[in-house]
């Protein structure tokens, strides 16, 4: 059982999964044994014995997304699958201001794509922030859970703020509207 799912084109730095086994392979040797069988784009970093009550999905209390944006004038082939190339104006101060408006407990209906049915569209965003380093911008989001395409919809909305097409102060109104059409486009999977 995995802790959640990722969209095609999205990479996980740390992904927790649990399983039961009767294998005689020790916990210490299990990552190497699994890595010898897995495709090259997946690596097991560690293995732990856990209580039987642990469930990767239901026991998860926080998830964090990092969206990487390459602000260079020319796209980099080395970042092709890892960062969105965005050669447009980027109003960093407004993006940081807008990020703060996502923090808290909100109905995030305006920031999701209809997909898998959920019991509630209310989520708690523990943190949302932006950082620039060189020609890279990073959007960090940490919440108790994410709706389908929520992180990418928030990023798309922040990109509209970056280009001064949407006001940072308008984010609370967009959230309250619960209207997906009021938010920015879903950013591509990177």
């Amino acid at each position: 059982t995995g802790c959640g799912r990722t969209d095609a084109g999205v990479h996980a730095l740390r992904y927790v999964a649990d399983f039961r086994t009767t294998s005689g392979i020790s916990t210490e040797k299990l990552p190497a044994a699994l890595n010898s069988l897995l495709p090259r784009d997946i690596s097991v970093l560690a293995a732990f014995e856990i209580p039987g009550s642990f469930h990767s999905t239901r026991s998860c209390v926080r998830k964090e997304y990092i969206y990487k944006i390459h602000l260079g004038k020319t796209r980099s082939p080395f970042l092709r699958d890892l960062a969105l190339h965005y050669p447009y104006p980027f109003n960093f101060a407004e993006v940081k201001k807008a990020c703060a408006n996502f923090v808290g407990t909100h109905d995030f209906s305006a920031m999701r794509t209809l997909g898998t049915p959920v019991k509630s569209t209310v989520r708690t965003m523990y943190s949302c922030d932006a950082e620039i380093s060189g020609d890279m911008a990073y959007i960090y989001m940490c919440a108790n859970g994410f709706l389908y395409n929520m992180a990418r919809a928030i990023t798309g909305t922040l990109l509209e703020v970056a280009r001064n097409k949407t006001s940072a102060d308008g984010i609370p109104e967009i959230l309250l509207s619960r209207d997906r059409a009021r938010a920015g486009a879903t950013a591509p999977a990177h």
Side-chain angles (χ1 to χ4, degrees):
T1 301
C3 63
R5 64 172 184 223
T6 61
D7 297 340
V10 175
H11 304 78
L13 293 173
R14 286 180 214 90
Y15 184 91
V16 175
D18 67 87
F19 62 94
R20 296 184 189 282
T21 182
T22 56
S23 170
I25 300 172
S26 72
T27 305
E28 296 79 25
K29 292 182 180 179
L30 193 57
L34 291 170
N35 286 335
S36 71
L37 301 171
L38 288 168
R40 294 183 56 81
D41 59 348
I42 299 173
S43 291
V44 175
L45 304 177
F48 305 95
E49 286 192 37
I50 54 174
S53 61
F54 181 85
H55 187 280
S56 293
T57 307
R58 291 190 299 268
S59 299
C60 181
V61 294
R62 292 175 185 249
K63 293 182 180 185
E64 182 175 9
Y65 278 80
I66 304 168
Y67 197 96
K68 299 175 184 179
I69 304 164
H70 177 234
L71 302 173
K73 291 181 181 176
T74 305
R75 65 178 159 58
S76 168
F78 300 106
L79 297 173
R80 171 177 64 104
D81 294 328
L82 303 175
L84 172 67
H85 180 235
Y86 192 81
Y88 308 106
F90 195 88
N91 187 336
F92 179 66
E94 282 297 299
V95 169
K96 279 207 60 97
K97 185 177 169 185
C99 284
N101 287 309
F102 289 109
V103 176
T105 301
H106 306 284
D107 185 322
F108 281 95
S109 295
M111 299 292 157
R112 74 171 182 146
T113 303
L114 291 177
T116 307
V118 293
K119 292 179 184 174
S120 172
T121 52
V122 174
R123 298 290 185 270
T124 299
M125 183 78 71
Y126 299 116
S127 62
C128 184
D129 202 4
E131 175 183 298
I132 287 190
S133 178
D135 63 357
M136 293 293 294
Y138 302 90
I139 307 296
Y140 300 96
M141 294 170 247
C142 180
N144 64 349
F146 288 85
L147 301 167
Y148 182 57
N149 284 339
M150 180 175 148
R152 291 170 48 202
I154 289 172
T155 299
T157 303
L158 290 172
L159 291 174
E160 287 202 353
V161 170
R163 288 180 80 173
N164 299 314
K165 291 184 172 190
T166 298
S167 164
D169 295 329
I171 300 299
E173 186 179 317
I174 293 170
L175 289 172
L176 286 172
S177 78
R178 299 179 183 170
D179 182 1
R180 181 67 187 97
R182 301 263 319 264
T186 301
H190 284 292

